[in-house]
Amino acid sequence: SAVISQKPSRDICQRGTSLTIQCQVDSQVTMMFWYRQQPGQSLTLIATANQGSEATYESGFVIDKFPISRPNLTFSTLTVSNMSPEDSSIYLCSLQGNLGNTIYFGEGSWLTVV
Amino acid sequence: QKEVEQNSGPLSVPEGAIASLNCTYSDRVSQSFFWYRQYSGKSPELIMSIYSNGDKEDGRFTAQLNKASQYVSLLIRDSQPSDSATYLCAVNRDRGSTLGRLYFGRGTQLTVWP
């Protein structure tokens, strides 16, 4: 299975600031996905990040709030902009395995906004 | 109507018993179904995937799918305390091959007591 590394693993952020989360994969993958898991909630898909094109955002998520970069096939970043306490969540990078039948998750980035 | 629904639990079973976790989904054309296990403070880990009606067994785990009833379940035989976790049901949200775009249920918390 692919190895997915996320940074930071945890952070406490001030209201109004922005934080960029990095996701590094040990193999080339076409599609990467960013999910959010708010406290006590399940996972919600934020966007799909494809290399060489703009990210595709799900309903309720916008590029100004969650800009995403995908400069190559092994790396992606998600920025959480102008954070508020409601953005306190786990942010998870995921990818589809090369066999196409498994979805892997990174270890997650646990953000607390104060 | 939520896309994926699970009994939130908590579900509590004694060690050695069978734990039964249930999930229903709303989109009749969903093709791919997944069960993830999430330990507290950890990211989700894929346990089972199932695509066809019927049962699929992997060790102590059996996934069951009934597309007519829009129902998927997970049975854990010989439950162990180490199985204590939140179990997330996920359904592919696309009719094509983009497996990474998943709807998740809110999860069922399972406790296996010795």
Side-chain angles (χ1 to χ4, degrees), chain B:
Chain B
Q1 181 184 4
K2 293 188 177 179
E3 303 288 345
V4 179
E5 299 216 41
Q6 296 180 249
N7 292 332
S8 60
L11 175 65
S12 182
V13 301
E15 184 174 358
I18 295 175
S20 178
L21 305 160
N22 304 316
C23 173
T24 58
Y25 59 95
S26 61
D27 189 349
R28 184 169 292 277
V29 299
S30 296
Q31 298 292 323
S32 309
F33 308 88
F34 305 88
W35 283 99
Y36 286 83
R37 176 175 63 198
Q38 186 174 28
Y39 292 112
S40 180
K42 299 293 185 180
S43 63
E45 170 193 12
L46 181 67
I47 299 175
M48 294 281 287
S49 59
I50 186 167
Y51 308 99
S52 304
N53 279 328
D55 295 358
K56 179 181 177 183
E57 187 174 317
D58 184 359
R60 296 187 295 112
F61 298 98
T62 299
Q64 299 174 319
L65 175 61
N66 183 326
K67 290 186 178 181
S69 300
Q70 295 175 235
Y71 175 90
V72 59
S73 67
L74 179 70
L75 300 178
I76 306 174
R77 291 183 300 281
D78 188 23
S79 296
Q80 302 297 310
S82 58
D83 294 327
S84 298
T86 297
Y87 289 80
L88 302 169
C89 174
V91 174
N92 178 242
R93 34 194 314 170
D94 294 307
R95 303 180 183 190
S97 63
T98 311
L99 294 178
R101 298 180 68 241
L102 303 176
Y103 285 119
F104 280 84
R106 294 186 64 171
T108 299
Q109 185 179 341
L110 171 67
T111 300
V112 181
W113 44 277

Side-chain angles (χ1 to χ4, degrees), chain A residues 10 31 33 35 37 40-45 48 58 90 92 94 96 100-108 110, chain B residues 6 34 36 38 40-46 49 51 88-89 93 97-107:
Chain A
R10 256 173 221 282
M31 304 182 80
F33 308 89
Y35 284 82
Q37 187 175 27
Q41 304 295 315
S42 191
L43 283 78
T44 302
L45 179 64
T48 302
E58 300 300 319
I90 309 168
L92 293 145
S94 80
Q96 184 172 329
N101 60 356
T102 49
I103 309 301
Y104 301 102
F105 284 91
E107 290 301 310
W110 301 65
Chain B
Q6 296 180 249
F34 305 88
Y36 286 83
Q38 186 174 28
S40 180
K42 299 293 185 180
S43 63
E45 170 193 12
L46 181 67
S49 59
Y51 308 99
L88 302 169
C89 174
R93 34 194 314 170
S97 63
T98 311
L99 294 178
R101 298 180 68 241
L102 303 176
Y103 285 119
F104 280 84
R106 294 186 64 171

Side-chain angles (χ1 to χ4, degrees), chain A:
Chain A
S1 64
V3 176
I4 308 170
S5 302
Q6 273 190 244
K7 292 181 185 179
S9 57
R10 256 173 221 282
D11 209 339
I12 298 174
C13 308
Q14 295 295 317
R15 185 192 304 245
T17 63
S18 299
L19 182 78
T20 296
I21 302 166
Q22 299 179 3
C23 179
Q24 179 75 53
V25 187
D26 68 345
S27 58
Q28 295 185 336
V29 294
T30 303
M31 304 182 80
M32 295 174 74
F33 308 89
W34 287 96
Y35 284 82
R36 178 176 75 179
Q37 187 175 27
Q38 293 176 302
Q41 304 295 315
S42 191
L43 283 78
T44 302
L45 179 64
I46 298 173
T48 302
N50 298 322
Q51 194 270 335
S53 63
E54 288 208 357
T56 304
Y57 289 83
E58 300 300 319
S59 176
F61 297 96
V62 295
I63 187 171
D64 289 347
K65 176 67 175 178
F66 298 102
I68 287 172
S69 78
R70 185 79 201 275
N72 56 53
L73 291 174
T74 64
F75 188 78
S76 179
T77 67
L78 169 75
T79 299
V80 187
S81 303
N82 188 25
M83 286 185 284
S84 66
E86 292 71 33
D87 294 319
S88 297
S89 293
I90 309 168
Y91 291 87
L92 293 145
C93 169
S94 80
L95 57 89
Q96 184 172 329
N98 288 334
L99 294 179
N101 60 356
T102 49
I103 309 301
Y104 301 102
F105 284 91
E107 290 301 310
S109 296
W110 301 65
L111 302 189
T112 301
V113 184
V114 297

